[in-house]
């Protein structure tokens, strides 16, 4: 059979987590917490299952959950989004991103992405027959040069994909970035996919800027979110997409034939929990900043270079002072020989990086962060 994705292997997250398990290494590679979501949320799921919420929910998502999402968007961003025709619950942000790409991209359309680029974007574009244009972010601060983006726009450009807070670098887009994106998108009539799954994980008092807050972007964007990050339940694979009614109609046409729905009792539990604890997400920034600060402080004595993450639960470490190995080799070696797994950043880039970066997930208990730092400081 001829492969539809000939250049695509198994995702680095699966590769590194498997290697970590095989080597019995501390796994700071794939991004997931080593603690559970809130007890009340897990109890709500158990109840939802026992109470018989076990058949297909509505295609767009349970209405009470869509209403909670709508209320949350208003509470955190002062954004109005109709639960009826602008919010769609999906089995994870990944499905929403795939459906949004599939809904928009025609063969030959160009899509601009920024490297390092989350690994699910390009295969989706490729399967739709689109052409991915990679623009490298600057190093070591991982910013976007909007003049460079303007220069990369051609008559075939159909879409720009952004991700803030950014995985893997931890960089965030600020008001100036969103304004520049808005001007560009309006001028060239582009559609935007904005991956905002780490929306509540910003540090040092920074506020998340959502595309939904900018009128020129609001009408032309699919904004994608994930409950996995916000409620520490990545394995629940539930997220949502917010988009103007005309875009939502097209998104749902695809979603109904990719998965049709997201899991029913999970939606029931999330709706209950969000109603009972609307302030829960507001506590996440402090919770994760403590972890980031602890990890960075402990590493001050190491030979790794770092600049503290602005957002996400990832920290890049630069190992240029330690080794000239390729980052894929370095990540593999550290897992096998030192018992600590990370993610090499070059796999998210079309062109070689100047720096030598490994990504570490700090959504871990204090004990694990201390063990990790002890290993890293001895290298
Ligand atoms: N997004 C997670 C990460 O960056 C992993 C998700 C996955 O394994 N597909 O680590």
């Amino acid at each position: 059979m001829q492969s539809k994705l000939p250049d695509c292997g198994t995702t680095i997250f699966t590769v590194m987590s498997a290697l970590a398990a095989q080597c019995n290494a501390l796994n700071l590679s794939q991004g997931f917490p080593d603690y559970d979501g809130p007890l009340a949320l897990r109890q709500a799921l158990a109840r939802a299952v026992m109470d018989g919420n076990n058949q297909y929910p509505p295609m767009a998502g349970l209405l009470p959950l869509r209403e909670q999402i709508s209320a949350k968007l208003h509470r955190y961003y002062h954004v109005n989004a109709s639960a009826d025709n602008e919010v769609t619950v999906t089995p994870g942000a990944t499905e929403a991103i795939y459906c949004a790409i599939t809904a928009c991209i025609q063969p030959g359309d160009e899509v601009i992405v920024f490297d390092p680029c989350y690994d699910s974007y390009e295969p989706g574009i490729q399967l739709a027959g689109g052409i991915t244009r990679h623009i490298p972010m600057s190093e070591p601060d991982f910013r976007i040069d909007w003049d460079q983006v303007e220069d990369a726009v051609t008559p075939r450009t159909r879409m720009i994909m952004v991700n803030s807070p950014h995985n893997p670098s931890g960089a965030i887009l600020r008001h100036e970035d969103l304004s520049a994106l808005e001007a560009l998108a309006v001028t060239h009539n582009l559609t935007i996919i904005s991956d905002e799954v780490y929306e509540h994980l910003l540090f040092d008092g920074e506020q998340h800027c959502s595309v939904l807050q900018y009128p020129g972007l609001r009408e032309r964007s699919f904004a994608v979110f994930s409950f996995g990050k916000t409620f520490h339940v990545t394995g629940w694979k539930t997220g949502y997409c917010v988009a103007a009614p005309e875009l939502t109609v097209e998104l749902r046409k695809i979603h109904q034939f990719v998965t049709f729905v997201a899991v029913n009792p999970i939606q029931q539990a999330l709706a209950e929990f969000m109603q009972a604890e609307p302030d829960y997400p507001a506590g996440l920034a402090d919770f994760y900043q403590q972890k980031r600060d602890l990890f960075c402080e402990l590493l001050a004595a190491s030979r790794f270079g770092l600049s503290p993450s602005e957002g996400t639960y990832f920290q890049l470490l630069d190992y240029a002072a330690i080794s000239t190995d390729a980052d894929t080799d370095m990540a593999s070696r550290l897992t096998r020989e030192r018992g600590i797994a990370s993610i090499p950043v070059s796999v998210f880039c079309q062109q070689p990086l100047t720096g030598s970066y490994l990504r570490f997930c700090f959504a871990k208990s204090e004990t694990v962060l201390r063990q990790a730092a002890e290993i890293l400081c001895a290298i």
Side-chain angles (χ1 to χ4, degrees):
M1 197 187 81
Q2 198 184 346
S3 173
K4 298 206 63 175
L5 295 171
D7 302 325
C8 183
T10 303
T11 103
I12 190 69
F13 308 117
T14 299
V15 170
M16 291 310 301
S17 274
L19 187 63
Q22 185 194 321
C23 301
N24 206 16
L26 283 185
N27 188 1
L28 274 62
S29 65
Q30 190 179 23
F32 60 87
D34 68 356
Y35 33 87
D36 254 330
L39 181 63
L41 176 63
R42 288 180 287 132
Q43 286 173 331
L45 176 58
R47 246 193 342 269
V49 170
M50 295 316 290
D51 289 353
N53 298 279
N54 300 305
Q55 310 308 331
Y56 296 126
M59 186 268 275
L62 284 186
L63 185 58
L65 179 57
R66 283 185 281 136
E67 285 171 348
Q68 287 305 319
I69 292 168
S70 180
K72 174 177 179 296
L73 290 165
H74 194 264
R75 190 182 187 94
Y76 286 93
Y77 305 118
H78 306 292
V79 160
N80 293 314
S82 154
D84 177 38
N85 60 10
E86 295 190 294
V87 176
T88 307
V89 180
T90 59
T94 311
E95 198 254 17
I97 291 167
Y98 181 82
C99 292
I101 293 170
T102 307
C104 283
I105 298 306
Q106 309 273 357
D109 284 351
E110 292 178 10
V111 181
I112 293 176
V113 303
F114 301 99
D115 282 0
C117 171
Y118 188 63
D119 69 346
S120 83
Y121 303 170
E122 182 156 17
I125 297 165
Q126 209 176 329
L127 290 170
I131 297 157
T132 310
R133 298 284 180 222
H134 295 258
I135 299 184
M137 296 165 93
S138 61
E139 288 180 54
D141 52 356
F142 296 93
R143 304 272 163 238
I144 293 172
D145 175 346
W146 293 102
D147 292 333
Q148 201 185 344
V149 184
E150 176 81 58
D151 291 344
V153 172
T154 76
R156 300 305 313 254
T157 307
R158 175 83 183 84
M159 179 184 272
I160 299 181
M161 297 183 71
V162 289
N163 168 218
S164 176
H166 180 247
N167 178 7
S169 74
I172 58 175
L173 294 178
R174 295 187 167 78
H175 172 65
E176 315 80 82
D177 297 296
L178 274 285
S179 296
L181 177 65
E182 183 180 39
L184 211 86
V186 171
T187 307
H188 300 284
N189 192 24
L190 306 174
T191 301
I192 307 299
I193 294 181
S194 180
D195 180 342
E196 305 185 16
V197 300
Y198 300 102
E199 63 177 320
H200 296 295
L201 278 58
L202 281 84
F203 311 129
D204 306 315
E206 294 283 357
Q207 298 295 311
H208 177 57
C209 296
S210 172
V211 289
L212 301 173
Q213 295 166 303
Y214 295 75
L217 293 172
R218 174 74 175 88
E219 61 183 7
R220 57 182 67 250
S221 299
F222 295 91
V224 175
F225 303 88
S226 174
F227 292 114
K229 320 293 167 193
T230 301
F231 297 128
H232 316 304
V233 286
T234 59
W236 287 20
K237 288 301 297 185
T238 307
Y240 54 99
C241 182
V242 183
E246 318 80 73
L247 297 182
T248 293
V249 165
E250 296 307 315
L251 177 91
R252 290 181 185 174
K253 284 183 192 173
I254 311 291
H255 164 70
Q256 68 183 339
F257 296 125
V258 175
T259 53
F260 180 48
V261 290
V263 175
N264 185 349
I266 290 181
Q267 296 189 54
Q268 179 69 37
L270 287 165
E272 271 178 41
F273 185 76
M274 288 171 80
Q275 183 170 23
E277 303 248 9
D279 287 331
Y280 186 88
L284 288 172
D286 279 352
F287 175 77
Y288 278 111
Q289 182 162 345
Q290 277 180 27
K291 292 192 180 296
R292 181 205 64 170
D293 289 348
L294 173 68
F295 192 52
C296 291
E297 267 166 43
L298 293 170
L299 287 171
S302 79
R303 292 201 288 154
F304 289 92
L306 70 84
S307 151
S309 246
E310 294 171 335
T312 74
Y313 45 46
F314 303 117
Q315 178 64 51
L316 290 191
L317 298 184
D318 185 329
Y319 64 87
I322 299 172
S323 167
T324 53
D325 280 1
D327 60 356
T328 43
D329 295 339
M330 187 71 176
S332 168
R333 209 152 58 76
L334 291 187
T335 311
R336 292 173 201 279
E337 295 173 13
R338 302 287 186 150
I340 184 159
S342 58
I343 295 286
V345 173
S346 67
V347 302
F348 306 115
C349 302
Q350 190 180 51
Q351 285 175 15
L353 289 154
T354 316
S356 311
Y357 309 101
L358 296 174
R359 189 200 79 175
F360 292 79
C361 174
F362 56 78
K364 305 295 168 191
S365 68
E366 184 176 333
T367 312
V368 167
L369 292 177
R370 287 186 184 278
Q371 285 169 348
E374 198 177 322
I375 296 174
L376 293 169
C377 286
I379 293 170

